[in-house]
Amino acid sequence: MARWQLKTSSGCRRPTAIVIACSIGLVLLFLWSQHDHHSASRISTTPHHPTVVSAPQHQFASRPGRGGGEDVAIDLSHARAPFVSWPLRRVCAEAAHVPGLTFLCDSNSGGPGNMRNYVLTCVRYAVDAGAAALVVPALRARAPDDPADLFRERRPFAYMFDEPHFRAALADACPRLALYAALADVPGAAARARRERRALDRVVERVTPKHFGGSRAGCDPRDPHRYADRFGAAFREHLRASAAERGWPASDGVDNPRLVRLSWGVLWDWPVLRDGPEFAATYGGLLRFRPDVLDLADGIVDAMRALAATTRGTEAAAGRSFLGVHLRTEADALARWPSYENQTKGYLREAAARGYQGRAAYLATGNETEARRFGGEAMASLQLDVRTKYGLLEGREEELARLKALSWDQQALVDFVVLLNCDYFVGVSPSSFSINVALKRHLKEEGLYTRPWRVGGRGDGRSWLVGRYDRYWEDWLFMFDGMWP
């Protein structure tokens, strides 16, 4: 910027120069605000197209207590929010690069919360290790006839997630990280398996990240990876030493890849705040749910708002606002988790305190019997009209047929998105589904500057979780340290 020299020898020239300088400053400020306005208008949230935002930090979220044209507010709690790529790009740019090192992130299982966090955790470890490639994660689907059987078969990534969005977001943030559709597509993988006379999958090495970098002797094995900073260097040294011991040549991206699969159960290991709050707030946007799920959820949200508009409003909950409830009592729920009675008493008490008497609530649950039971109790005690996704789509046969065609876990994705849109949410800890919904909703007010959720407190004004919070490992509180919203 040019420096303006103001002459001071004359008393009449100083005011004139100051006026000129101020006028120029105002013009420049106006032009800059118009530039930001036009930049913001180019951010697309079209549902069926991947969206990535790659601008400097100040453009992503409103600073608390500030306004003005220089800030562009992106609601990071929204299921269709564009991926803010620069925090991941910064991490990828700082990472080492090991030619031929390829990660597989398919030792996953469970519902949306578990599945989502496993993939994100695996990709984060891959970046830190210096991986040159990833295989698009396959997903372990639970048995249709037994929700507790989590390992029945492998499904493609698109079983839950939007693959074009994932590919576009990862390519923008980590351009050196190649993405292959299958293990057989990794350059040199099949040739290596033939040389070693082994099945292709037997060439893949299984790795537990906590075995690298250090040890916390005496701690519960579920403790987060306290040596995450040392993982990358320690793992690369393991690659070098183990190759030398076995007489292997150095890995490369032509005919000698090094193939790695993370162990099952590592999904809560990486401390999510380790890379800074802006990374923690945005990284989960790498995974977006599949477009047809988002479309179904949008229709259900519209139906809920229309229903809420017909109910008796209160000062606290008026107009088209509705309550969101997650009841976690399905067959695979653990016995030591809060019971039906613990959950529902807390939910109804919170609903009353938040002004939802006579209003409407959306219930997410896979237990139809207890859905009816809770609906009756809510109506009797609070005149609270409780609905589920099936009831809201009655008379809309095409949408209802699409919903019923989805599996149990795919339908849970619909619930997840609807609960992101409710006006107040009540769920249960330690359900990873409930915690993930609450943490994602927590991003709405402060965006990139979101402070951590206060575990065991009264919530954030948008969500509240019933549960036990006395014992870090037994009450599964480690999930709050290892879950990306």
Side-chain angles (χ1 to χ4, degrees), residues 98-104 130-135 178 180 182-196 198-205 235 239 242-243 246 248-261:
V98 181
L101 178 58
T102 303
F103 267 60
L104 288 81
L134 290 172
V135 175
Y180 296 108
L183 177 58
D185 297 329
V186 177
R192 181 182 168 187
R194 286 193 298 270
R195 285 197 308 270
E196 298 179 10
R198 292 193 287 173
L200 181 57
D201 201 60
R202 301 293 293 177
V203 179
V204 180
E205 304 168 57
F235 182 69
L239 294 177
S242 58
R246 298 168 188 174
W248 292 349
S251 64
D252 61 52
V254 180
D255 59 3
N256 190 44
R258 195 75 182 263
L259 308 171
V260 171
R261 171 178 283 130

Side-chain angles (χ1 to χ4, degrees), residues 33-109:
S33 68
Q34 292 300 301
H35 167 77
D36 268 8
H37 170 76
H38 291 304
S39 296
S41 67
R42 290 194 295 268
I43 297 174
S44 168
T45 55
T46 304
H48 299 296
H49 294 82
T51 53
V52 179
V53 178
S54 310
Q57 177 175 354
H58 72 272
Q59 294 188 0
F60 296 132
S62 295
R63 294 179 174 87
R66 292 188 61 182
E70 71 176 41
D71 293 327
V72 176
I74 293 176
D75 181 3
L76 295 176
S77 73
H78 199 281
R80 297 187 191 273
F83 177 57
V84 179
S85 62
W86 69 262
L88 177 57
R89 185 186 305 110
R90 180 175 62 186
V91 169
C92 285
E94 295 168 351
H97 184 75
V98 181
L101 178 58
T102 303
F103 267 60
L104 288 81
C105 298
D106 55 5
S107 294
N108 46 59
S109 66

